[in-house]
Amino acid sequence: MNSVIEDIERIYKPIDNGATFTFPADFVAFKGHFPVQQLLPAVIQVELAIFVLSKALKKEVKLKTVKKAKFVSPIFPKDTVNLTYAVKEDFYDISIKKDEKVISAFQISVE
């Protein structure tokens, strides 16, 4: 069985200031998170941001803080989302969109 990071790597498609992800039904993070109606856990959405920032900065980064987190719409198997980031003074603004609508937004700081 793949790890979450291996699965993220498998579906990662870089774009300017972010990445596109299309989640296959067998994406490991869906297993066990509501068997009747699978959805991507919020913690994995944060992990996507850390992964994208690590790629962009060309070094492994670790999460320090998460602020102002809003997860307003679920991500289901077969969904495609765009994750983008904006660099701020001491944190990153993260936005996840599905069909051009913001479905998740949060600020993170990393080290």
Side-chain angles (χ1 to χ4, degrees), residues 46-93:
V46 174
E47 188 62 46
L48 292 173
I50 295 166
F51 180 88
V52 168
L53 290 174
S54 290
K55 291 287 191 182
L57 299 172
K58 296 182 173 49
K59 67 177 187 173
E60 185 178 340
V61 298
K62 295 185 182 185
L63 181 66
K64 275 176 55 177
T65 62
V66 178
K67 295 181 181 177
K68 298 184 180 179
K70 293 181 183 175
F71 302 94
V72 296
S73 185
I75 298 172
F76 298 114
K78 300 183 181 174
D79 280 350
T80 297
V81 301
N82 288 330
L83 181 150
T84 56
Y85 64 88
V87 181
K88 301 298 179 179
E89 189 172 312
D90 59 349
F91 62 90
Y92 295 88
D93 269 332

Side-chain angles (χ1 to χ4, degrees), residues 15-19 49 52 82-86 93-97:
I15 60 174
D16 288 340
N17 294 324
V52 168
N82 288 330
L83 181 150
T84 56
Y85 64 88
D93 269 332
I94 306 297
S95 176
I96 300 176
K97 292 182 179 180

Side-chain angles (χ1 to χ4, degrees), residues 23 27 29-30 33 38-45 48 74-77:
F23 295 94
F27 188 77
F30 290 129
H33 200 58
Q38 295 180 323
L39 58 93
L40 194 69
V43 68
I44 302 302
Q45 295 179 50
L48 292 173
I75 298 172
F76 298 114

